[in-house]
């Protein structure tokens, strides 16, 4: 039996058919085109980009562990922890910040 990959952000499994996307460890706009990606739940990917700028991600959050440890992610991680592995909902951005998400 195949085991589902684990999201390195929320540490929940990513089951077949769940919305998932690849997160560039260093943003493409900051030179990370060939520096690796990780498979994450789409909702986790949206949460990352709703909370951090490309510069912040490149400078101090280029590893999943650093993203998980960031205080800005604490509330999201606590909220998502008990949701089903295939759970998805739109990400609400605070303070009028607009996200850019590619499908």
């Amino acid at each position: 039996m195949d085991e589902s990959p684990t999201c390195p952000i929320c540490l929940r499994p990513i089951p077949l058919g769940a919305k998932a996307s690849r997160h560039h460890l260093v943003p493409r706009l900051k030179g990370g085109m060939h520096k690796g990606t990780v498979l994450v739940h789409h909702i986790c990917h949206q949460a990352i980009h709703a909370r951090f700028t490309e510069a912040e991600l490149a400078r101090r959050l280029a590893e999943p562990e650093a993203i998980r440890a960031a205080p800005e992610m604490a509330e999201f991680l606590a909220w998502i922890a008990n949701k089903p592995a295939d759970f998805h909902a739109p990400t609400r951005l605070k303070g009028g910040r607009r996200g850019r998400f590619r499908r």
Side-chain angles (χ1 to χ4, degrees):
M1 179 186 326
D2 289 320
E3 192 172 311
S4 298
T6 299
C7 177
I9 304 304
C10 69
L11 304 178
R12 297 176 305 135
I14 304 173
L16 187 64
K19 287 189 173 193
S21 54
R22 293 242 163 235
H23 172 66
H24 283 83
L25 294 172
V26 175
R28 291 179 292 178
L29 295 174
K30 297 295 182 181
M33 187 64 167
H34 303 289
K35 295 196 177 177
T37 61
V38 290
L39 184 66
V40 299
H41 288 108
H42 189 68
I43 194 168
C44 295
H45 201 194
Q46 288 179 313
I48 292 167
H49 288 283
R51 286 161 177 78
F52 306 109
T53 65
E54 302 283 308
E56 288 174 307
L57 290 169
R59 185 176 56 251
R60 63 181 182 94
L61 300 167
E63 295 296 327
E65 297 81 15
I67 294 169
R68 272 198 320 273
E72 299 92 334
M73 289 294 288
E75 186 178 343
F76 169 78
L77 292 172
W79 174 78
I80 199 76
N82 295 317
K83 301 286 188 265
D86 61 351
F87 176 80
H88 182 77
T91 299
R92 305 231 190 274
L93 303 177
K94 293 181 179 179
R97 179 153 188 248
R98 300 231 183 254
R100 265 186 338 132
F101 306 110
R102 292 193 169 94
R103 294 182 187 231

